């Protein structure tokens, strides 16, 4: 149960994000750059899981909408991550409808997960390795589980925020994320990598 309770990068910077959003709403363009830098890596990672190689195009559409509607947003940094993920999800679903295709599974580039450095290089390398492997295995999950895991782990949303983004009950999302993470853990155990230091 506690495996996914540790704050992700996004959660660790929610205070900074909330302050930057407030400044951006007041017209500070440099603050909007900070908002983009803090939110884009997780958002792009989530969209890569949804639409594969078209993620950057979909992200661009999402950011146009985010910038247009920024003045209407009310909330803190965590709320902004959820709000922006909801917009990105709608743009991804629109994209998939237009293409009349199922979401393609694509692993994330390591650069997608890079945020401004506040960990040692060693810690970042360990996290990137484990995240890359987990995201490669996401293709094995049903879509509802994969999306719940992406929003929890890559975007860094808490359970209620994921439920709001997906338009589902918290209990259903919690179950999907739990099942998805358990299945990923089984897949990781089967890969032989877990014995090499996944707990490090």
């Amino acid at each position: 149960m506690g495996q996914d309770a540790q704050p992700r990068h996004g959660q660790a910077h929610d205070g900074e994000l909330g302050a930057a959003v407030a400044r951006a709403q007041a017209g500070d363009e440099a603050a909007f750059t900070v908002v983009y830098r803090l939110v884009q890596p997780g958002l792009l990672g989530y969209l890569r899981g949804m639409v594969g190689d078209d993620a950057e195009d979909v992200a661009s559409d999402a950011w146009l909408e985010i910038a247009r509607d920024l003045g209407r947003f009310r909330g803190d940094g965590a709320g902004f991550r959820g709000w922006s993920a909801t917009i990105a999800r709608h743009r991804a679903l629109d994209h998939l409808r237009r293409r009349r295709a199922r979401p393609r599974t694509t692993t994330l580039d390591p650069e997608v997960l890079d945020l401004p450095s506040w960990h040692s290089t060693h810690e970042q390398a360990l996290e990137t390795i484990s995240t890359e492997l987990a995201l490669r295995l996401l293709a094995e999950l049903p879509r509802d589980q994969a999306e719940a895991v992406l929003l929890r782990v890559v975007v860094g949303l808490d359970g209620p925020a994921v439920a709001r983004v997906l338009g589902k009950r918290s209990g259903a999302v919690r179950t999907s994320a739990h099942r998805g993470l358990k299945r990923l853990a089984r897949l990781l155990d089967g890969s032989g990598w877990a014995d090499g230091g996944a707990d490090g």
Side-chain angles (χ1 to χ4, degrees), residues 126-147:
L126 283 177
E127 181 161 315
T128 299
I129 290 167
S130 62
T131 303
E132 280 181 3
L133 181 57
L135 289 171
R136 259 184 272 153
L137 297 173
L138 276 172
E140 304 293 323
L141 301 181
R143 181 175 169 182
D144 63 326
Q145 291 178 16
E147 197 169 355

Side-chain angles (χ1 to χ4, degrees), residues 5 44 178:
L44 191 59
H178 179 72

Side-chain angles (χ1 to χ4, degrees), residues 62-76:
W63 278 104
L64 287 172
E65 186 171 339
I66 290 166
R68 185 194 70 204
D69 295 342
L70 185 63
R72 295 191 306 193
F73 170 75
R74 298 289 176 264
D76 58 7

